[in-house]
Amino acid sequence: MAQDSVFINCPFDAEFDGLRNAMVFAVYDCGFRPRCALESANAHEYRFEKIKKMIKESRFGIHDISRTELDATNNLPRFNMPLELGLFIGAMSYGSRSVKDKSLLILDREQYRYQKYISDISGQDIRAHLNCERTLIKCVRDWLHSECKGTVRLPGGTYIADRYEQFKARLPALCAKVRCQVHELTFVDYSNLASEWAASHPLN
Amino acid sequence: MAKVSAKGTGRSVKTGQYAAHPRTVPMRTVKPAPSTGSFSREEARAAVLAVMREDSKKAP
C-alpha cells in the first residue's frame, strides 16, 4: 500500500470541476499523490474493480459526499460516493493488516447535513467545505498535516489556497503550451500540470 | 542558528560551537503525476517553465 497515495472519491460531473481541481492541487502541494478512478481509461477494467484496487493501494482517502442529493430527473439519490466511502471504511475494518492501516477525511457542504441521511458515520472526521475551493483546500491541508505527524513541514492552508489561485489563473496559458483547452484536460492531464507547477514554484 | 550538542543539537558542552546546518523537519516534496496523459511530464514541465519565463519578462 502506497503511504503517500490519497484516494479521491468525489463527483465527476462538470459542476464539481472547481472543487475537484482544488482538491487535486492541494493534495499535490502537500506532497501526496491523488488517485482517482478517472486516472485509467482502460475500458476493459470495470470501474468498481478499479475503485477497489485503488482503495486497497491507498493509505488515505478523501470522500466528498456533498452531492448526495436527489437527481432532478429520476428523483433518486446519487449514492456512488457513500458507497465508495462504505467500501473504504470496510477495508479499514475487515482488510488484511497491510490494508487496514488507513485514514479518511469526509467532506460535505454543510457541517451536520450528513446526519440527515448517513448518520451512522458520526465519529469520523467530517468537515464542511461550504462549496468553497479555499475552504476545501484548508480542510485537506489540515487533515494531511495532522497525518504527517511532524515528519514533514507543510505550508498553511491559506498559503496553499493562494498558490492554487495563481495556478488557476495561469492554467489557460499552460494549456495553450500543450495545445489543448482547459475544459479538455483529463484528470491525468490536469494532475500533470498541477504537479509540475507545484514542483517548479518553490515555497517561499 | 541552532546550538551544537553531543547529540547534534543545542550547544556543545565541550566545544561551545554552533551548528552551521541545524537539523530541521524537511519540507514536503511534490510527487509526480501518472505518465499516461495526453502529454508527457516533460511537456508539462516545459509548459510550466515557458509560462514562468513569459511572466518574468512581463514583471516590472
Side-chain angles (χ1 to χ4, degrees), chain A residues 67-80:
Chain A
R67 296 298 191 272
T68 308
E69 56 200 359
L70 293 182
D71 182 280
T73 311
N74 303 311
N75 208 31
L76 289 168
R78 298 171 62 184
F79 249 70
N80 279 331

PDB file of all heavy atoms in Angstrom, chain A residues 67-80:
ATOM      1  N   ARG A  67     -22.531  15.961  -2.821  1.00  0.00           N
ATOM      2  CA  ARG A  67     -23.534  15.878  -3.898  1.00  0.00           C
ATOM      3  C   ARG A  67     -24.477  14.690  -3.697  1.00  0.00           C
ATOM      4  O   ARG A  67     -25.097  14.229  -4.656  1.00  0.00           O
ATOM      5  CB  ARG A  67     -22.836  15.786  -5.253  1.00  0.00           C
ATOM      6  CG  ARG A  67     -22.021  17.012  -5.608  1.00  0.00           C
ATOM      7  CD  ARG A  67     -22.901  18.267  -5.709  1.00  0.00           C
ATOM      8  NE  ARG A  67     -22.161  19.379  -6.300  1.00  0.00           N
ATOM      9  CZ  ARG A  67     -21.426  20.241  -5.588  1.00  0.00           C
ATOM     10  NH1 ARG A  67     -21.346  20.129  -4.274  1.00  0.00           N
ATOM     11  NH2 ARG A  67     -20.804  21.233  -6.191  1.00  0.00           N
ATOM     12  N   THR A  68     -24.569  14.212  -2.483  1.00  0.00           N
ATOM     13  CA  THR A  68     -25.554  13.169  -2.203  1.00  0.00           C
ATOM     14  C   THR A  68     -26.910  13.857  -2.089  1.00  0.00           C
ATOM     15  O   THR A  68     -27.252  14.442  -1.060  1.00  0.00           O
ATOM     16  CB  THR A  68     -25.215  12.436  -0.888  1.00  0.00           C
ATOM     17  OG1 THR A  68     -23.853  12.003  -0.945  1.00  0.00           O
ATOM     18  CG2 THR A  68     -26.112  11.234  -0.683  1.00  0.00           C
ATOM     19  N   GLU A  69     -27.636  13.844  -3.197  1.00  0.00           N
ATOM     20  CA  GLU A  69     -28.909  14.571  -3.260  1.00  0.00           C
ATOM     21  C   GLU A  69     -29.788  13.924  -4.317  1.00  0.00           C
ATOM     22  O   GLU A  69     -29.330  13.092  -5.100  1.00  0.00           O
ATOM     23  CB  GLU A  69     -28.644  16.033  -3.609  1.00  0.00           C
ATOM     24  CG  GLU A  69     -27.871  16.186  -4.907  1.00  0.00           C
ATOM     25  CD  GLU A  69     -27.181  17.539  -5.066  1.00  0.00           C
ATOM     26  OE1 GLU A  69     -27.328  18.383  -4.164  1.00  0.00           O
ATOM     27  OE2 GLU A  69     -26.521  17.716  -6.085  1.00  0.00           O
ATOM     28  N   LEU A  70     -31.043  14.332  -4.347  1.00  0.00           N
ATOM     29  CA  LEU A  70     -31.969  13.729  -5.301  1.00  0.00           C
ATOM     30  C   LEU A  70     -31.662  14.209  -6.713  1.00  0.00           C
ATOM     31  O   LEU A  70     -31.442  15.399  -6.947  1.00  0.00           O
ATOM     32  CB  LEU A  70     -33.405  14.088  -4.939  1.00  0.00           C
ATOM     33  CG  LEU A  70     -33.935  13.502  -3.626  1.00  0.00           C
ATOM     34  CD1 LEU A  70     -35.385  13.907  -3.417  1.00  0.00           C
ATOM     35  CD2 LEU A  70     -33.824  11.969  -3.627  1.00  0.00           C
ATOM     36  N   ASP A  71     -31.635  13.258  -7.637  1.00  0.00           N
ATOM     37  CA  ASP A  71     -31.444  13.573  -9.045  1.00  0.00           C
ATOM     38  C   ASP A  71     -32.719  14.243  -9.577  1.00  0.00           C
ATOM     39  O   ASP A  71     -33.826  13.769  -9.325  1.00  0.00           O
ATOM     40  CB  ASP A  71     -31.170  12.258  -9.789  1.00  0.00           C
ATOM     41  CG  ASP A  71     -30.920  12.491 -11.244  1.00  0.00           C
ATOM     42  OD1 ASP A  71     -31.906  12.663 -11.987  1.00  0.00           O
ATOM     43  OD2 ASP A  71     -29.752  12.501 -11.640  1.00  0.00           O
ATOM     44  N   ALA A  72     -32.557  15.345 -10.309  1.00  0.00           N
ATOM     45  CA  ALA A  72     -33.727  16.105 -10.775  1.00  0.00           C
ATOM     46  C   ALA A  72     -34.577  15.288 -11.741  1.00  0.00           C
ATOM     47  O   ALA A  72     -35.800  15.463 -11.807  1.00  0.00           O
ATOM     48  CB  ALA A  72     -33.253  17.384 -11.452  1.00  0.00           C
ATOM     49  N   THR A  73     -33.975  14.385 -12.493  1.00  0.00           N
ATOM     50  CA  THR A  73     -34.705  13.602 -13.491  1.00  0.00           C
ATOM     51  C   THR A  73     -35.396  12.397 -12.864  1.00  0.00           C
ATOM     52  O   THR A  73     -36.597  12.176 -13.063  1.00  0.00           O
ATOM     53  CB  THR A  73     -33.725  13.098 -14.580  1.00  0.00           C
ATOM     54  OG1 THR A  73     -32.931  14.197 -15.025  1.00  0.00           O
ATOM     55  CG2 THR A  73     -34.491  12.500 -15.742  1.00  0.00           C
ATOM     56  N   ASN A  74     -34.643  11.650 -12.065  1.00  0.00           N
ATOM     57  CA  ASN A  74     -35.174  10.395 -11.524  1.00  0.00           C
ATOM     58  C   ASN A  74     -35.738  10.515 -10.114  1.00  0.00           C
ATOM     59  O   ASN A  74     -36.380   9.591  -9.627  1.00  0.00           O
ATOM     60  CB  ASN A  74     -34.063   9.334 -11.504  1.00  0.00           C
ATOM     61  CG  ASN A  74     -33.477   9.127 -12.875  1.00  0.00           C
ATOM     62  OD1 ASN A  74     -34.210   8.954 -13.841  1.00  0.00           O
ATOM     63  ND2 ASN A  74     -32.164   9.177 -12.973  1.00  0.00           N
ATOM     64  N   ASN A  75     -35.446  11.625  -9.458  1.00  0.00           N
ATOM     65  CA  ASN A  75     -35.863  11.811  -8.075  1.00  0.00           C
ATOM     66  C   ASN A  75     -35.322  10.714  -7.158  1.00  0.00           C
ATOM     67  O   ASN A  75     -35.994  10.272  -6.225  1.00  0.00           O
ATOM     68  CB  ASN A  75     -37.400  11.869  -7.990  1.00  0.00           C
ATOM     69  CG  ASN A  75     -37.846  12.708  -6.809  1.00  0.00           C
ATOM     70  OD1 ASN A  75     -37.162  13.653  -6.420  1.00  0.00           O
ATOM     71  ND2 ASN A  75     -38.974  12.361  -6.231  1.00  0.00           N
ATOM     72  N   LEU A  76     -34.122  10.268  -7.475  1.00  0.00           N
ATOM     73  CA  LEU A  76     -33.457   9.250  -6.655  1.00  0.00           C
ATOM     74  C   LEU A  76     -32.120   9.814  -6.172  1.00  0.00           C
ATOM     75  O   LEU A  76     -31.508  10.638  -6.865  1.00  0.00           O
ATOM     76  CB  LEU A  76     -33.205   7.977  -7.473  1.00  0.00           C
ATOM     77  CG  LEU A  76     -34.447   7.157  -7.814  1.00  0.00           C
ATOM     78  CD1 LEU A  76     -34.116   6.104  -8.859  1.00  0.00           C
ATOM     79  CD2 LEU A  76     -35.007   6.496  -6.562  1.00  0.00           C
ATOM     80  N   PRO A  77     -31.634   9.360  -5.021  1.00  0.00           N
ATOM     81  CA  PRO A  77     -30.362   9.903  -4.520  1.00  0.00           C
ATOM     82  C   PRO A  77     -29.169   9.375  -5.306  1.00  0.00           C
ATOM     83  O   PRO A  77     -29.198   8.251  -5.808  1.00  0.00           O
ATOM     84  CB  PRO A  77     -30.319   9.404  -3.067  1.00  0.00           C
ATOM     85  CG  PRO A  77     -31.183   8.209  -3.051  1.00  0.00           C
ATOM     86  CD  PRO A  77     -32.233   8.392  -4.100  1.00  0.00           C
ATOM     87  N   ARG A  78     -28.126  10.202  -5.399  1.00  0.00           N
ATOM     88  CA  ARG A  78     -26.871   9.772  -6.025  1.00  0.00           C
ATOM     89  C   ARG A  78     -26.033   9.136  -4.920  1.00  0.00           C
ATOM     90  O   ARG A  78     -25.629   9.798  -3.982  1.00  0.00           O
ATOM     91  CB  ARG A  78     -26.162  10.985  -6.627  1.00  0.00           C
ATOM     92  CG  ARG A  78     -26.984  11.644  -7.705  1.00  0.00           C
ATOM     93  CD  ARG A  78     -26.362  12.948  -8.132  1.00  0.00           C
ATOM     94  NE  ARG A  78     -25.027  12.741  -8.699  1.00  0.00           N
ATOM     95  CZ  ARG A  78     -24.255  13.744  -9.082  1.00  0.00           C
ATOM     96  NH1 ARG A  78     -24.645  14.980  -8.959  1.00  0.00           N
ATOM     97  NH2 ARG A  78     -23.053  13.502  -9.575  1.00  0.00           N
ATOM     98  N   PHE A  79     -25.774   7.858  -5.075  1.00  0.00           N
ATOM     99  CA  PHE A  79     -25.172   7.136  -3.955  1.00  0.00           C
ATOM    100  C   PHE A  79     -23.801   6.532  -4.234  1.00  0.00           C
ATOM    101  O   PHE A  79     -23.335   5.705  -3.459  1.00  0.00           O
ATOM    102  CB  PHE A  79     -26.151   6.058  -3.455  1.00  0.00           C
ATOM    103  CG  PHE A  79     -26.686   6.387  -2.104  1.00  0.00           C
ATOM    104  CD1 PHE A  79     -27.567   7.422  -1.925  1.00  0.00           C
ATOM    105  CD2 PHE A  79     -26.244   5.691  -0.993  1.00  0.00           C
ATOM    106  CE1 PHE A  79     -28.028   7.762  -0.667  1.00  0.00           C
ATOM    107  CE2 PHE A  79     -26.688   6.017   0.274  1.00  0.00           C
ATOM    108  CZ  PHE A  79     -27.591   7.064   0.440  1.00  0.00           C
ATOM    109  N   ASN A  80     -23.163   6.911  -5.327  1.00  0.00           N
ATOM    110  CA  ASN A  80     -21.830   6.352  -5.587  1.00  0.00           C
ATOM    111  C   ASN A  80     -20.819   6.760  -4.520  1.00  0.00           C
ATOM    112  O   ASN A  80     -19.999   5.943  -4.095  1.00  0.00           O
ATOM    113  CB  ASN A  80     -21.319   6.802  -6.964  1.00  0.00           C
ATOM    114  CG  ASN A  80     -21.904   5.963  -8.078  1.00  0.00           C
ATOM    115  OD1 ASN A  80     -22.219   4.797  -7.872  1.00  0.00           O
ATOM    116  ND2 ASN A  80     -22.082   6.556  -9.244  1.00  0.00           N
TER     117      ASN A  80
END
